[in-house]
Amino acid sequence: MSEPALPSSSAEPSHREGAGTIDLLGVIAYGAISGFTRIAADSEMADDLALKRALAGIAVKEFRNHELLSDHIVALGGDPIAAMEPFREAFDAYHARTHPQDLLEGLVKAYIGDGIASDFFLEVARYVDPTSRAIIEQAGGSHRDVDVIVSAVRRGIAQDPRRGGPLALWGRRLVGEALTQGQVVAAQHESLSDLVLGLGPDRPGASLEEVGRLMQRLTDRHQLRMGRLGLAS
């Protein structure tokens, strides 16, 4: 099945389109700094020194991505703090509902929960200007040493097979919470919906069929991640 064609981007985006781009950068930037603090906390729970070191390195990369996104917000004439603030409550509520009870749950959240969010933002980035798209792709690409997380989770399940079932349920819950929260955020911020659904006859955006294919791609990638962890999706 072919990918939907990317909408053309004008050299000078409209005010509404520019606002949507800054909003998208703001929500991703807040997600990155949240990722930094949570993965740094996960590293504190790791007894294995190699895992602790790897998680600390991943946290550093998250903060660098936050800075990259913040710098681009400034380049577009925005204020990073102002761009992030509207999304703070939604993110914090999600993290409060999905607080991990131990390191294994934290690792699954970093891989499954953050993975589906990154996939979604990369999909939406199809509809912004090329420079912003490249920044988002750089920040949301496969920058994490995911093999470290995957190996640690699989090792934990091998040591205690009873953890497999509950962790699979945890992974499914994370995706449900993330998708629900994403819908709430999009509904509350019209500029984000406009990026995908279009800004008028000169920029029609994605069709319902394309949105459906987007959701299927998110589901397929989630199932692949669950499979890598050895968890039933």
Side-chain angles (χ1 to χ4, degrees), residues 55-213:
L55 291 174
I58 292 171
V60 169
K61 291 177 183 178
E62 287 284 15
F63 190 74
R64 288 175 179 165
N65 286 331
H66 167 75
E67 291 184 313
L68 174 70
L69 294 158
S70 296
D71 288 346
H72 189 57
I73 291 171
V74 172
L76 293 177
D79 176 353
I81 302 300
M84 291 188 291
E85 188 62 41
F87 307 102
R88 183 174 181 176
E89 181 178 355
F91 262 88
D92 291 353
Y94 164 75
H95 290 308
R97 290 195 304 271
T98 58
H99 182 72
Q101 299 301 308
D102 57 26
L103 178 59
L104 276 181
E105 286 193 359
L107 294 176
V108 171
K109 181 176 178 178
Y111 186 51
I112 296 294
D114 291 3
I116 196 78
S118 179
D119 286 344
F120 177 75
F121 293 139
L122 288 172
E123 291 282 357
V124 178
R126 296 169 179 268
Y127 302 99
V128 301
D129 65 275
T131 300
S132 297
R133 185 185 315 151
I135 294 289
I136 293 169
E137 288 174 348
Q138 182 178 345
S142 299
H143 61 279
R144 290 183 171 179
D145 187 1
V146 295
D147 289 341
V148 171
I149 294 177
V150 170
S151 296
V153 172
R154 294 185 73 96
R155 186 166 58 249
I157 295 172
Q159 292 170 351
D160 184 0
R162 294 171 300 178
R163 297 298 307 272
L167 286 175
L169 291 174
W170 174 244
R172 291 194 288 273
R173 177 187 167 194
L174 289 168
V175 170
E177 291 278 5
L179 292 177
T180 298
Q181 197 60 59
Q183 292 171 350
V184 170
V185 169
Q188 291 177 344
H189 298 274
E190 185 178 357
S191 59
L192 291 178
S193 300
D194 285 345
L195 280 178
V196 178
L197 299 179
L199 299 167
D202 59 332
R203 188 183 179 283
S207 67
L208 290 177
E209 290 79 9
E210 288 166 347
V211 172
R213 288 196 290 269

Side-chain angles (χ1 to χ4, degrees), residues 111-112 150 154 221-233:
Y111 186 51
I112 296 294
V150 170
R154 294 185 73 96
R221 290 168 192 157
H222 164 63
Q223 291 175 341
L224 287 173
R225 288 192 181 95
M226 292 287 279
R228 284 199 68 194
L229 293 177
L231 301 175
S233 58

Side-chain angles (χ1 to χ4, degrees), residues 26-54:
V27 69
I28 302 173
Y30 191 74
I33 199 168
S34 296
F36 160 72
T37 58
R38 289 183 298 101
I39 294 172
D42 288 343
S43 72
E44 287 294 310
M45 291 190 285
D47 293 327
D48 181 87
L49 185 56
L51 179 59
K52 182 185 291 289
R53 182 177 183 275

Side-chain angles (χ1 to χ4, degrees), residues 5-38:
L6 297 180
S8 59
S9 299
S10 62
E12 296 182 359
S14 67
H15 174 74
R16 285 175 66 196
E17 187 172 354
T21 299
I22 289 179
D23 278 350
L24 179 61
L25 291 164
V27 69
I28 302 173
Y30 191 74
I33 199 168
S34 296
F36 160 72
T37 58
R38 289 183 298 101

